mmCIF file of all heavy atoms in Angstrom:
data_model
loop_
_atom_site.group_PDB
_atom_site.id
_atom_site.type_symbol
_atom_site.label_atom_id
_atom_site.label_comp_id
_atom_site.label_asym_id
_atom_site.label_seq_id
_atom_site.Cartn_x
_atom_site.Cartn_y
_atom_site.Cartn_z
ATOM 1 N N ALA A 248 -12.518 31.183 -5.627
ATOM 2 C CA ALA A 248 -13.488 30.547 -6.518
ATOM 3 C C ALA A 248 -13.510 29.033 -6.330
ATOM 4 O O ALA A 248 -14.590 28.413 -6.288
ATOM 5 C CB ALA A 248 -13.155 30.884 -7.970
ATOM 6 N N LEU A 249 -12.353 28.423 -6.214
ATOM 7 C CA LEU A 249 -12.322 26.968 -6.072
ATOM 8 C C LEU A 249 -12.737 26.529 -4.667
ATOM 9 O O LEU A 249 -13.327 25.460 -4.492
ATOM 10 C CB LEU A 249 -10.935 26.434 -6.407
ATOM 11 C CG LEU A 249 -10.465 26.660 -7.853
ATOM 12 C CD1 LEU A 249 -9.217 25.829 -8.154
ATOM 13 C CD2 LEU A 249 -11.558 26.369 -8.873
ATOM 14 N N LYS A 250 -12.455 27.353 -3.666
ATOM 15 C CA LYS A 250 -12.904 27.048 -2.301
ATOM 16 C C LYS A 250 -14.425 27.015 -2.239
ATOM 17 O O LYS A 250 -15.014 26.182 -1.526
ATOM 18 C CB LYS A 250 -12.357 28.105 -1.340
ATOM 19 C CG LYS A 250 -12.842 27.952 0.097
ATOM 20 C CD LYS A 250 -12.355 29.119 0.948
ATOM 21 C CE LYS A 250 -12.899 29.027 2.368
ATOM 22 N NZ LYS A 250 -12.467 30.190 3.204
ATOM 23 N N ALA A 251 -15.075 27.909 -2.980
ATOM 24 C CA ALA A 251 -16.539 27.924 -2.981
ATOM 25 C C ALA A 251 -17.092 26.620 -3.539
ATOM 26 O O ALA A 251 -18.148 26.143 -3.108
ATOM 27 C CB ALA A 251 -17.043 29.111 -3.793
ATOM 28 N N ARG A 252 -16.384 26.029 -4.489
ATOM 29 C CA ARG A 252 -16.816 24.758 -5.080
ATOM 30 C C ARG A 252 -16.457 23.584 -4.177
ATOM 31 O O ARG A 252 -17.209 22.600 -4.100
ATOM 32 C CB ARG A 252 -16.157 24.589 -6.456
ATOM 33 C CG ARG A 252 -16.509 23.286 -7.172
ATOM 34 C CD ARG A 252 -17.938 23.306 -7.691
ATOM 35 N NE ARG A 252 -18.311 22.056 -8.317
ATOM 36 C CZ ARG A 252 -18.157 21.765 -9.611
ATOM 37 N NH1 ARG A 252 -17.624 22.688 -10.426
ATOM 38 N NH2 ARG A 252 -18.541 20.620 -10.105
ATOM 39 N N ASN A 253 -15.304 23.682 -3.489
ATOM 40 C CA ASN A 253 -14.821 22.561 -2.690
ATOM 41 C C ASN A 253 -14.118 23.112 -1.443
ATOM 42 O O ASN A 253 -12.917 23.370 -1.454
ATOM 43 C CB ASN A 253 -13.852 21.712 -3.519
ATOM 44 C CG ASN A 253 -13.283 20.544 -2.751
ATOM 45 O OD1 ASN A 253 -13.536 20.371 -1.554
ATOM 46 N ND2 ASN A 253 -12.483 19.725 -3.417
ATOM 47 N N PRO A 254 -14.842 23.294 -0.343
ATOM 48 C CA PRO A 254 -14.257 23.891 0.863
ATOM 49 C C PRO A 254 -13.121 23.074 1.472
ATOM 50 O O PRO A 254 -12.336 23.603 2.262
ATOM 51 C CB PRO A 254 -15.445 23.994 1.827
ATOM 52 C CG PRO A 254 -16.664 23.947 0.961
ATOM 53 C CD PRO A 254 -16.295 23.064 -0.200
ATOM 54 N N ARG A 255 -13.032 21.788 1.134
ATOM 55 C CA ARG A 255 -11.976 20.940 1.685
ATOM 56 C C ARG A 255 -10.684 21.015 0.873
ATOM 57 O O ARG A 255 -9.674 20.389 1.228
ATOM 58 C CB ARG A 255 -12.449 19.478 1.724
ATOM 59 C CG ARG A 255 -13.502 19.196 2.778
ATOM 60 C CD ARG A 255 -14.021 17.757 2.693
ATOM 61 N NE ARG A 255 -12.937 16.775 2.693
ATOM 62 C CZ ARG A 255 -12.323 16.336 3.794
ATOM 63 N NH1 ARG A 255 -12.663 16.818 4.976
ATOM 64 N NH2 ARG A 255 -11.377 15.435 3.705
ATOM 65 N N LEU A 256 -10.693 21.794 -0.201
ATOM 66 C CA LEU A 256 -9.553 21.831 -1.102
ATOM 67 C C LEU A 256 -8.352 22.537 -0.466
ATOM 68 O O LEU A 256 -8.471 23.636 0.077
ATOM 69 C CB LEU A 256 -9.938 22.562 -2.391
ATOM 70 C CG LEU A 256 -8.881 22.569 -3.501
ATOM 71 C CD1 LEU A 256 -8.683 21.168 -4.074
ATOM 72 C CD2 LEU A 256 -9.278 23.539 -4.619
ATOM 73 N N ILE A 257 -7.199 21.908 -0.554
ATOM 74 C CA ILE A 257 -5.929 22.523 -0.171
ATOM 75 C C ILE A 257 -5.314 23.087 -1.446
ATOM 76 O O ILE A 257 -4.983 22.346 -2.368
ATOM 77 C CB ILE A 257 -5.002 21.493 0.499
ATOM 78 C CG1 ILE A 257 -5.623 21.033 1.824
ATOM 79 C CG2 ILE A 257 -3.605 22.083 0.722
ATOM 80 C CD1 ILE A 257 -5.007 19.774 2.381
ATOM 81 N N TYR A 258 -5.185 24.397 -1.490
ATOM 82 C CA TYR A 258 -4.795 25.126 -2.700
ATOM 83 C C TYR A 258 -3.387 25.676 -2.473
ATOM 84 O O TYR A 258 -3.176 26.546 -1.636
ATOM 85 C CB TYR A 258 -5.806 26.247 -2.932
ATOM 86 C CG TYR A 258 -5.702 27.038 -4.215
ATOM 87 C CD1 TYR A 258 -6.699 26.960 -5.184
ATOM 88 C CD2 TYR A 258 -4.649 27.909 -4.448
ATOM 89 C CE1 TYR A 258 -6.642 27.722 -6.353
ATOM 90 C CE2 TYR A 258 -4.574 28.666 -5.618
ATOM 91 C CZ TYR A 258 -5.577 28.566 -6.560
ATOM 92 O OH TYR A 258 -5.515 29.325 -7.701
ATOM 93 N N CYS A 259 -2.417 25.173 -3.203
ATOM 94 C CA CYS A 259 -1.024 25.562 -3.014
ATOM 95 C C CYS A 259 -0.546 26.407 -4.189
ATOM 96 O O CYS A 259 -0.504 25.931 -5.320
ATOM 97 C CB CYS A 259 -0.141 24.322 -2.864
ATOM 98 S SG CYS A 259 1.597 24.703 -2.576
ATOM 99 N N SER A 260 -0.197 27.659 -3.906
ATOM 100 C CA SER A 260 0.350 28.564 -4.920
ATOM 101 C C SER A 260 1.862 28.661 -4.735
ATOM 102 O O SER A 260 2.346 28.900 -3.625
ATOM 103 C CB SER A 260 -0.250 29.964 -4.770
ATOM 104 O OG SER A 260 -1.641 29.948 -4.983
ATOM 105 N N ILE A 261 2.591 28.483 -5.833
ATOM 106 C CA ILE A 261 4.052 28.604 -5.796
ATOM 107 C C ILE A 261 4.457 29.699 -6.778
ATOM 108 O O ILE A 261 4.198 29.590 -7.977
ATOM 109 C CB ILE A 261 4.735 27.276 -6.171
ATOM 110 C CG1 ILE A 261 4.251 26.143 -5.268
ATOM 111 C CG2 ILE A 261 6.259 27.418 -6.072
ATOM 112 C CD1 ILE A 261 4.805 24.774 -5.641
ATOM 113 N N THR A 262 5.065 30.757 -6.254
ATOM 114 C CA THR A 262 5.499 31.872 -7.087
ATOM 115 C C THR A 262 6.934 32.242 -6.718
ATOM 116 O O THR A 262 7.497 31.708 -5.761
ATOM 117 C CB THR A 262 4.587 33.103 -6.894
ATOM 118 O OG1 THR A 262 4.612 33.482 -5.515
ATOM 119 C CG2 THR A 262 3.160 32.807 -7.316
ATOM 120 N N GLY A 263 7.505 33.174 -7.469
ATOM 121 C CA GLY A 263 8.863 33.590 -7.173
ATOM 122 C C GLY A 263 8.990 34.300 -5.843
ATOM 123 O O GLY A 263 9.942 34.072 -5.085
ATOM 124 N N PHE A 264 8.001 35.159 -5.522
ATOM 125 C CA PHE A 264 8.148 36.041 -4.370
ATOM 126 C C PHE A 264 6.965 36.005 -3.410
ATOM 127 O O PHE A 264 6.929 36.790 -2.454
ATOM 128 C CB PHE A 264 8.391 37.470 -4.861
ATOM 129 C CG PHE A 264 9.602 37.570 -5.733
ATOM 130 C CD1 PHE A 264 9.481 37.639 -7.117
ATOM 131 C CD2 PHE A 264 10.871 37.556 -5.187
ATOM 132 C CE1 PHE A 264 10.602 37.712 -7.929
ATOM 133 C CE2 PHE A 264 12.001 37.620 -5.992
ATOM 134 C CZ PHE A 264 11.869 37.701 -7.358
ATOM 135 N N GLY A 265 5.998 35.124 -3.644
ATOM 136 C CA GLY A 265 4.866 35.032 -2.747
ATOM 137 C C GLY A 265 3.737 35.976 -3.131
ATOM 138 O O GLY A 265 3.838 36.765 -4.075
ATOM 139 N N GLN A 266 2.667 35.914 -2.367
ATOM 140 C CA GLN A 266 1.464 36.672 -2.669
ATOM 141 C C GLN A 266 1.509 38.100 -2.132
ATOM 142 O O GLN A 266 0.625 38.903 -2.428
ATOM 143 C CB GLN A 266 0.243 35.953 -2.083
ATOM 144 C CG GLN A 266 0.068 34.509 -2.540
ATOM 145 C CD GLN A 266 -0.287 34.397 -4.006
ATOM 146 O OE1 GLN A 266 -1.261 34.993 -4.452
ATOM 147 N NE2 GLN A 266 0.495 33.635 -4.754
ATOM 148 N N THR A 267 2.516 38.431 -1.324
ATOM 149 C CA THR A 267 2.603 39.754 -0.719
ATOM 150 C C THR A 267 4.020 40.298 -0.898
ATOM 151 O O THR A 267 4.944 39.585 -1.272
ATOM 152 C CB THR A 267 2.271 39.696 0.779
ATOM 153 O OG1 THR A 267 3.179 38.782 1.432
ATOM 154 C CG2 THR A 267 0.846 39.206 1.005
ATOM 155 N N GLY A 268 4.178 41.607 -0.596
ATOM 156 C CA GLY A 268 5.492 42.226 -0.668
ATOM 157 C C GLY A 268 5.691 42.991 -1.961
ATOM 158 O O GLY A 268 4.960 42.802 -2.944
ATOM 159 N N PRO A 269 6.707 43.867 -2.008
ATOM 160 C CA PRO A 269 6.890 44.741 -3.167
ATOM 161 C C PRO A 269 7.269 44.020 -4.452
ATOM 162 O O PRO A 269 7.124 44.584 -5.538
ATOM 163 C CB PRO A 269 8.014 45.693 -2.718
ATOM 164 C CG PRO A 269 8.720 44.957 -1.623
ATOM 165 C CD PRO A 269 7.668 44.162 -0.932
ATOM 166 N N MET A 270 7.756 42.781 -4.355
ATOM 167 C CA MET A 270 8.155 42.048 -5.561
ATOM 168 C C MET A 270 7.134 40.979 -5.952
ATOM 169 O O MET A 270 7.390 40.179 -6.857
ATOM 170 C CB MET A 270 9.527 41.395 -5.349
ATOM 171 C CG MET A 270 10.655 42.381 -5.111
ATOM 172 S SD MET A 270 12.278 41.575 -4.964
ATOM 173 C CE MET A 270 12.558 41.092 -6.687
ATOM 174 N N ALA A 271 5.992 40.964 -5.293
ATOM 175 C CA ALA A 271 5.029 39.877 -5.487
ATOM 176 C C ALA A 271 4.641 39.670 -6.945
ATOM 177 O O ALA A 271 4.418 38.530 -7.370
ATOM 178 C CB ALA A 271 3.776 40.124 -4.642
ATOM 179 N N HIS A 272 4.569 40.736 -7.720
ATOM 180 C CA HIS A 272 4.093 40.617 -9.097
ATOM 181 C C HIS A 272 5.225 40.424 -10.109
ATOM 182 O O HIS A 272 4.966 40.345 -11.313
ATOM 183 C CB HIS A 272 3.256 41.845 -9.460
ATOM 184 C CG HIS A 272 1.947 41.908 -8.722
ATOM 185 N ND1 HIS A 272 0.840 41.184 -9.121
ATOM 186 C CD2 HIS A 272 1.602 42.556 -7.596
ATOM 187 C CE1 HIS A 272 -0.153 41.415 -8.276
ATOM 188 N NE2 HIS A 272 0.284 42.241 -7.336
ATOM 189 N N GLU A 273 6.453 40.319 -9.633
ATOM 190 C CA GLU A 273 7.565 40.133 -10.551
ATOM 191 C C GLU A 273 7.796 38.649 -10.831
ATOM 192 O O GLU A 273 7.550 37.805 -9.964
ATOM 193 C CB GLU A 273 8.841 40.754 -9.974
ATOM 194 C CG GLU A 273 8.762 42.263 -9.830
ATOM 195 C CD GLU A 273 10.105 42.881 -9.500
ATOM 196 O OE1 GLU A 273 11.145 42.228 -9.745
ATOM 197 O OE2 GLU A 273 10.111 44.017 -9.003
ATOM 198 N N PRO A 274 8.270 38.317 -12.034
ATOM 199 C CA PRO A 274 8.578 36.912 -12.321
ATOM 200 C C PRO A 274 9.815 36.480 -11.542
ATOM 201 O O PRO A 274 10.706 37.287 -11.265
ATOM 202 C CB PRO A 274 8.847 36.912 -13.832
ATOM 203 C CG PRO A 274 9.309 38.306 -14.123
ATOM 204 C CD PRO A 274 8.550 39.198 -13.175
ATOM 205 N N GLY A 275 9.854 35.214 -11.176
ATOM 206 C CA GLY A 275 10.999 34.709 -10.423
ATOM 207 C C GLY A 275 11.483 33.394 -10.999
ATOM 208 O O GLY A 275 10.719 32.436 -11.077
ATOM 209 N N TYR A 276 12.729 33.355 -11.420
ATOM 210 C CA TYR A 276 13.333 32.137 -11.958
ATOM 211 C C TYR A 276 14.483 31.711 -11.067
ATOM 212 O O TYR A 276 15.097 32.529 -10.371
ATOM 213 C CB TYR A 276 13.807 32.369 -13.393
ATOM 214 C CG TYR A 276 12.667 32.594 -14.356
ATOM 215 C CD1 TYR A 276 12.178 33.871 -14.597
ATOM 216 C CD2 TYR A 276 12.059 31.515 -15.006
ATOM 217 C CE1 TYR A 276 11.123 34.078 -15.468
ATOM 218 C CE2 TYR A 276 11.008 31.717 -15.885
ATOM 219 C CZ TYR A 276 10.541 32.995 -16.111
ATOM 220 O OH TYR A 276 9.492 33.201 -16.969
ATOM 221 N N ASP A 277 14.806 30.437 -11.102
ATOM 222 C CA ASP A 277 15.776 29.869 -10.177
ATOM 223 C C ASP A 277 17.075 30.662 -10.125
ATOM 224 O O ASP A 277 17.568 30.979 -9.038
ATOM 225 C CB ASP A 277 16.061 28.412 -10.560
ATOM 226 C CG ASP A 277 17.180 27.810 -9.733
ATOM 227 O OD1 ASP A 277 16.909 27.378 -8.601
ATOM 228 O OD2 ASP A 277 18.337 27.799 -10.199
ATOM 229 N N LEU A 278 17.659 30.983 -11.269
ATOM 230 C CA LEU A 278 18.937 31.691 -11.262
ATOM 231 C C LEU A 278 18.813 33.040 -10.563
ATOM 232 O O LEU A 278 19.684 33.430 -9.779
ATOM 233 C CB LEU A 278 19.441 31.873 -12.697
ATOM 234 C CG LEU A 278 20.787 32.594 -12.849
ATOM 235 C CD1 LEU A 278 21.890 31.867 -12.094
ATOM 236 C CD2 LEU A 278 21.151 32.733 -14.330
ATOM 237 N N MET A 279 17.725 33.756 -10.836
ATOM 238 C CA MET A 279 17.490 35.025 -10.151
ATOM 239 C C MET A 279 17.385 34.827 -8.641
ATOM 240 O O MET A 279 17.952 35.599 -7.862
ATOM 241 C CB MET A 279 16.187 35.661 -10.651
ATOM 242 C CG MET A 279 16.178 36.056 -12.116
ATOM 243 S SD MET A 279 14.480 36.397 -12.670
ATOM 244 C CE MET A 279 13.912 37.551 -11.426
ATOM 245 N N ILE A 280 16.670 33.787 -8.250
ATOM 246 C CA ILE A 280 16.457 33.545 -6.823
ATOM 247 C C ILE A 280 17.764 33.155 -6.140
ATOM 248 O O ILE A 280 18.031 33.559 -4.999
ATOM 249 C CB ILE A 280 15.386 32.459 -6.614
ATOM 250 C CG1 ILE A 280 14.063 32.875 -7.282
ATOM 251 C CG2 ILE A 280 15.178 32.179 -5.137
ATOM 252 C CD1 ILE A 280 13.455 34.145 -6.750
ATOM 253 N N GLN A 281 18.591 32.375 -6.820
ATOM 254 C CA GLN A 281 19.891 32.032 -6.237
ATOM 255 C C GLN A 281 20.702 33.297 -5.975
ATOM 256 O O GLN A 281 21.431 33.384 -4.975
ATOM 257 C CB GLN A 281 20.661 31.081 -7.151
ATOM 258 C CG GLN A 281 20.072 29.676 -7.209
ATOM 259 C CD GLN A 281 21.068 28.650 -7.716
ATOM 260 O OE1 GLN A 281 22.248 28.691 -7.394
ATOM 261 N NE2 GLN A 281 20.584 27.697 -8.512
ATOM 262 N N GLY A 282 20.596 34.276 -6.870
ATOM 263 C CA GLY A 282 21.302 35.531 -6.659
ATOM 264 C C GLY A 282 20.684 36.373 -5.557
ATOM 265 O O GLY A 282 21.375 36.864 -4.657
ATOM 266 N N LEU A 283 19.361 36.534 -5.589
ATOM 267 C CA LEU A 283 18.685 37.398 -4.622
ATOM 268 C C LEU A 283 18.775 36.875 -3.189
ATOM 269 O O LEU A 283 18.859 37.655 -2.241
ATOM 270 C CB LEU A 283 17.208 37.541 -5.019
ATOM 271 C CG LEU A 283 16.920 38.465 -6.196
ATOM 272 C CD1 LEU A 283 15.533 38.193 -6.758
ATOM 273 C CD2 LEU A 283 17.042 39.918 -5.764
ATOM 274 N N SER A 284 18.756 35.579 -3.020
ATOM 275 C CA SER A 284 18.733 34.984 -1.680
ATOM 276 C C SER A 284 20.076 35.053 -0.974
ATOM 277 O O SER A 284 20.153 34.834 0.232
ATOM 278 C CB SER A 284 18.298 33.520 -1.774
ATOM 279 O OG SER A 284 19.281 32.754 -2.466
ATOM 280 N N GLY A 285 21.141 35.311 -1.717
ATOM 281 C CA GLY A 285 22.473 35.263 -1.145
ATOM 282 C C GLY A 285 23.197 33.970 -1.414
ATOM 283 O O GLY A 285 24.398 33.850 -1.122
#
Side-chain angles (χ1 to χ4, degrees):
L249 297 192
K250 176 185 177 182
R252 179 73 183 270
N253 179 356
R255 288 175 52 82
L256 186 68
I257 295 164
Y258 187 113
C259 182
S260 297
I261 304 176
T262 59
F264 302 101
Q266 304 292 305
T267 58
M270 297 183 72
H272 291 279
E273 295 190 20
Y276 293 90
D277 173 82
L278 180 58
M279 296 166 51
I280 302 299
Q281 289 199 39
L283 284 162
S284 66

